Amino acid sequence: MTRRALVLGGGGITGIAWEWGILAGLAEAGIALSDADLVVGTSAGSVVGAQVANGLDPSARYEAQLAPPDGELAGTFGTGTILRYGLAMLAGSRAPRKVRQRIGRLALRVDGDASARVRVIDSRLPVKDWPSETALRITAVNAETGEFRVFDRESGVPLVHAVAASCAVPGVWPPVTIDGGRYMDGGARSATNADVADGYDKVVLLAPITRGIGPMPGAGAHVERLRRRSAVALVSPDPDALRAFGRNVLDPAKRADAARAGRRQAGAVAAAVRAVWSD
């Protein structure tokens, strides 16, 4: 039996919108990535993945991205945060877990009520329960130990908490407490964590961010390894989409443009995705 996996990478608010645009456009072309046996979500991809795995209609979710942000505030990366993040990634030891611990120290410095952030995610996520049929895996990193963790319906963790943890961008949002640990964005390990889909026969990866930094593998490295055993299609933003994203991927004012760019791009990538996804 052929097993198919959909991997949804991180990329902020614009990444969420772009992924919905791609998914809606592909669905219109007769390619239902929601038929996946496994959905893997990291950061922005965890928000989209939770909805896809629960069967929400990509076209309806795409339309939701076009609504005005209505005063929703943008998250920001200050210059100091960017500098500290870069030093944590590039300086000193190349051991991935130690680097993630450095990033975790940056994440733990963020002032704020993590429970309030969970409530924000809860208010924006139209599904609250783990899917009963499609396997869903959501990635996060323990900010204190650097340990990589994959949450699923067997983890005993509420879906909203898992998504909030995966979206806790270091230096922007406070880590989320789960099982006594403080968890931050799964993108601290990889922007896609596509290797979680290892062993599946067909893999489609939507990656708003493809690059790797320091010991963080980029999408290309994951794809190279997956292709040893699987048919893989990698979809990343085209120049039009990158322009739509702008400089701040956490800016809700860019959401609609990013969604429309994804919808337009879907036509250009449909043949390559169909070649992998179809039986």
Side-chain angles (χ1 to χ4, degrees):
M1 177 180 175
T2 300
R3 299 195 306 161
R4 297 182 294 183
L6 171 63
V7 179
L8 299 162
I13 288 173
T14 55
I16 291 172
W18 175 82
E19 287 178 353
W20 280 125
I22 291 285
L23 290 166
L26 290 176
E28 190 175 65
I31 305 168
L33 296 183
S34 56
D35 290 341
D37 301 291
L38 169 69
V39 176
V40 179
T42 292
S43 198
S46 73
V47 176
V48 178
Q51 297 173 68
V52 170
N54 271 293
L56 272 64
D57 177 22
S59 294
R61 299 313 302 155
Y62 164 77
E63 291 296 333
Q65 304 306 304
L66 306 183
D70 292 331
E72 182 182 343
L73 297 177
T76 57
F77 293 98
T79 303
T81 298
I82 294 172
L83 178 59
R84 288 191 293 271
Y85 193 86
L87 290 173
M89 291 299 301
L90 299 174
S93 172
R94 289 285 177 164
R97 184 162 172 171
K98 289 186 179 296
V99 172
R100 294 196 294 268
Q101 283 180 304
R102 291 194 187 97
I103 297 171
R105 287 195 286 272
L106 171 62
L108 291 166
R109 292 193 191 107
V110 174
D111 293 327
D113 181 2
S115 62
R117 181 64 182 163
V118 172
R119 290 193 294 272
V120 168
I121 297 294
D122 181 62
S123 70
R124 297 177 184 169
L125 193 66
V127 294
K128 311 301 178 186
D129 299 317
W130 291 92
S132 58
E133 297 182 7
T134 303
L136 171 64
R137 298 176 186 167
I138 292 177
T139 69
V141 170
N142 188 306
E144 296 165 316
T145 67
E147 176 188 7
F148 178 59
R149 184 166 178 184
V150 179
F151 298 107
D152 60 19
R153 63 173 169 253
E154 306 301 325
S155 301
V157 174
L159 176 62
V160 171
H161 283 71
V163 171
S166 192
C167 292
V169 180
V172 178
W173 310 117
V176 174
T177 300
I178 296 175
D179 297 336
R182 305 284 305 282
Y183 285 89
M184 63 181 176
D185 197 319
R189 176 185 182 260
S190 162
T192 65
N193 293 301
D195 55 329
V196 175
D198 187 35
Y200 281 73
D201 303 289
K202 297 172 179 284
V203 180
V204 171
L205 167 57
L206 305 189
I209 297 173
T210 58
R211 64 185 179 275
I213 305 173
M216 286 174 56
H222 285 309
V223 167
E224 183 179 355
R225 293 190 63 180
L226 285 169
R227 281 182 174 155
R228 297 173 188 173
R229 300 176 56 186
S230 311
V232 183
L234 168 63
V235 180
S236 58
D238 63 11
D240 180 46
L242 291 174
R243 283 190 294 271
F245 288 4
R247 290 189 173 186
N248 182 8
V249 298
L250 300 179
D251 185 357
K254 300 292 186 180
R255 179 188 291 129
D257 287 345
R260 292 188 184 99
R263 187 71 175 264
R264 290 191 295 269
Q265 186 181 352
V269 302
V273 174
R274 183 181 285 110
V276 166
W277 201 251
S278 66
D279 292 328

